[in-house]
């Protein structure tokens, strides 16, 4: 156990003894312009029209980006050589001030898969539209969505509607971190379909925000509804701790929660530290002595 504290964590984050990552060498036009400080904000990078294909661009322009694991799903496949396990991870990233992204990745180990999902979520970052769109509220703050937004993924249809200040996020547990990471503090949520499918639910909520970000609002409506696009300079999330691991969300997926070290399932054929079979007495799976006068 002492060796595990010195190496990478269970999510694959680098520890004190891990080597420093290599310096970033941009490979795309957008990356070269960001590295040369021609584009200094994420809004300017998205408005440039160039494709976002390097996660290091988001790391430089949004250094206070938070991430949270929404779902970890384990899938096993039987082959001639034995069982093969894979993990599908869904992650949301955001700064709590107008930028949010959703990513999904698959792999054999949990740690590298989470890192890959975070990188893919960074490449899907969008600039969220916020305002005071509820007829019950006139606070003039950008705390909710300005209009109703619809998103669909599979059988799940999500409708995000404006709410007055103080209502909070009246949505499901999967949708809450996505809206919170986008900087939205009040919203009504209405769903249709099989919402127990965590991945489809999360993708439908994100598609609603993407559809909202693509709207073009006239100047008089933007002034009346106090609509802002992107950051306002104040994040609703707490400051990010240096070297913190990704948070686990309250999603209803996560069938791989009972994993042993290294992301492998416990039990029969698992690593030391997994649950033993019937009659085992501890992590090592040592057999209990048979009781006197047994069957």
């Amino acid at each position: 156990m002492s060796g595990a504290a010195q190496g990478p964590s269970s999510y694959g984050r680098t520890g004190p003894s891990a080597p420093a990552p290599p310096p970033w060498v941009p490979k795309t036009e957008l990356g070269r312009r960001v590295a040369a400080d021609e584009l200094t904000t994420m809004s300017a990078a998205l408005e440039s029209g160039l494709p976002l294909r390097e996660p290091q661009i988001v790391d430089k322009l949004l250094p206070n980006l938070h991430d949270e694991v929404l779902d970890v799903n384990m899938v096993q496949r039987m082959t001639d050589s034995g069982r093969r396990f894979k993990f599908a991870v869904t992650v949301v990233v955001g700064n709590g001030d107008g930028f949010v992204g959703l990513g999904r990745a698959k792999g054999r180990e949990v740690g590298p898969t989470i890192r890959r999902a975070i990188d893919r979520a960074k490449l899907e970052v969008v600039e969220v539209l916020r305002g005071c769109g509820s007829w019950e509220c006139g606070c003039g703050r950008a705390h909710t969505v300005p209009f109703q937004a619809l998103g669909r993924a599979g059988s799940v249809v999500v409708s995000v509607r404006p709410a007055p200040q103080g209502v909070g996020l009246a949505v499901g547990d999967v949708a809450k971190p996505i809206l919170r990471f986008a900087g939205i503090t009040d919203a009504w949520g209405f769903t249709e379909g099989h919402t127990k499918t965590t991945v489809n639910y999360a993708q439908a909520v994100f598609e609603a925000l993407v559809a909202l970000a693509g709207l073009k609002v006239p100047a008089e409506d933007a002034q009346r509804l106090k609509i802002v696009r992107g950051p306002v300079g104040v994040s609703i999330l707490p400051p990010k701790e240096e070297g913190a691991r990704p948070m686990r969300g309250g999603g209803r997926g996560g069938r791989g929660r009972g994993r042993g070290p290294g992301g492998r399932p416990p039990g029969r054929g698992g690593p030391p530290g997994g649950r033993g079979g019937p009659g085992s007495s501890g992590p090592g799976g040592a057999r209990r002595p048979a009781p006197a006068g047994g069957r």
Side-chain angles (χ1 to χ4, degrees), residues 104-175:
R104 182 172 169 81
K106 298 179 181 180
R108 295 183 179 180
E109 297 182 4
V110 179
T113 306
I114 289 181
R115 290 201 305 269
R116 190 159 57 249
I118 291 176
D119 290 341
R120 291 184 179 179
K122 292 176 181 178
L123 301 181
E124 300 294 333
V125 166
V126 295
E127 197 174 27
V128 180
L129 213 63
R130 294 172 293 166
C132 184
S134 176
W135 62 272
E136 302 174 282
C137 183
C139 64
R141 294 177 56 251
H143 62 95
T144 184
V145 292
F147 313 105
Q148 176 182 348
L150 293 176
R152 178 189 294 272
S155 66
V156 182
V157 180
V158 175
S159 173
V160 182
R161 302 178 185 179
Q165 188 175 7
V167 170
L169 295 176
V171 295
D173 293 336
V174 178

Side-chain angles (χ1 to χ4, degrees), residues 73-125:
N73 187 16
M74 183 181 67
V75 180
Q76 59 179 346
R77 178 169 56 94
M78 193 66 186
T79 63
D80 295 339
S81 59
R83 288 187 178 92
R84 299 292 182 180
F85 298 93
K86 275 193 174 183
F87 299 93
V89 181
T90 306
V91 176
V92 60
V93 300
N95 67 341
D97 189 20
F99 292 102
V100 66
L102 186 72
R104 182 172 169 81
K106 298 179 181 180
R108 295 183 179 180
E109 297 182 4
V110 179
T113 306
I114 289 181
R115 290 201 305 269
R116 190 159 57 249
I118 291 176
D119 290 341
R120 291 184 179 179
K122 292 176 181 178
L123 301 181
E124 300 294 333
V125 166

Side-chain angles (χ1 to χ4, degrees), residues 5-285:
Q6 298 176 1
S9 64
S10 60
Y11 287 101
R13 292 300 181 104
T14 56
S17 59
W24 174 41
V25 179
K27 300 179 181 179
T28 61
E29 177 63 23
L30 180 60
R32 286 188 287 268
R33 294 178 63 178
V34 171
D37 293 333
E38 297 181 12
L39 300 174
T40 57
T41 62
M42 195 65 204
S43 300
L46 295 177
E47 291 176 358
S48 66
L50 298 174
L52 181 61
R53 295 178 178 173
E54 294 181 86
Q56 293 85 353
I57 297 175
V58 184
D59 293 335
K60 181 175 181 179
L61 299 180
L62 299 177
N64 56 342
L65 204 67
H66 293 247
D67 47 61
E68 182 172 336
V69 178
L70 297 179
D71 180 66
V72 179
N73 187 16
M74 183 181 67
V75 180
Q76 59 179 346
R77 178 169 56 94
M78 193 66 186
T79 63
D80 295 339
S81 59
R83 288 187 178 92
R84 299 292 182 180
F85 298 93
K86 275 193 174 183
F87 299 93
V89 181
T90 306
V91 176
V92 60
V93 300
N95 67 341
D97 189 20
F99 292 102
V100 66
L102 186 72
R104 182 172 169 81
K106 298 179 181 180
R108 295 183 179 180
E109 297 182 4
V110 179
T113 306
I114 289 181
R115 290 201 305 269
R116 190 159 57 249
I118 291 176
D119 290 341
R120 291 184 179 179
K122 292 176 181 178
L123 301 181
E124 300 294 333
V125 166
V126 295
E127 197 174 27
V128 180
L129 213 63
R130 294 172 293 166
C132 184
S134 176
W135 62 272
E136 302 174 282
C137 183
C139 64
R141 294 177 56 251
H143 62 95
T144 184
V145 292
F147 313 105
Q148 176 182 348
L150 293 176
R152 178 189 294 272
S155 66
V156 182
V157 180
V158 175
S159 173
V160 182
R161 302 178 185 179
Q165 188 175 7
V167 170
L169 295 176
V171 295
D173 293 336
V174 178
K176 282 182 181 179
I178 300 177
L179 297 179
R180 188 175 69 250
F181 278 25
I184 298 172
T185 58
D186 305 282
W188 298 108
F190 300 88
T191 60
E192 297 178 4
H194 195 67
T195 56
K196 288 186 178 181
T197 308
T198 307
V199 178
N200 286 351
Y201 191 6
Q203 290 179 346
V205 176
F206 183 68
E207 287 299 325
L209 297 180
V210 171
L212 195 65
L215 292 178
K216 295 183 179 180
V217 185
E220 56 272 13
D221 292 338
Q223 184 178 5
R224 177 174 55 88
L225 300 176
K226 310 300 180 183
I227 297 178
V228 295
R229 184 182 296 272
V232 296
V234 179
S235 175
I236 65 174
L237 299 177
K240 184 177 180 182
E241 297 180 1
E242 190 69 24
R245 298 188 304 178
M247 297 180 291
R248 284 300 302 270
R252 287 163 291 189
R255 288 192 287 258
R257 291 176 182 170
R259 297 181 302 274
R264 289 173 292 181
R268 186 181 305 173
R275 295 193 301 268
S280 63
S281 60

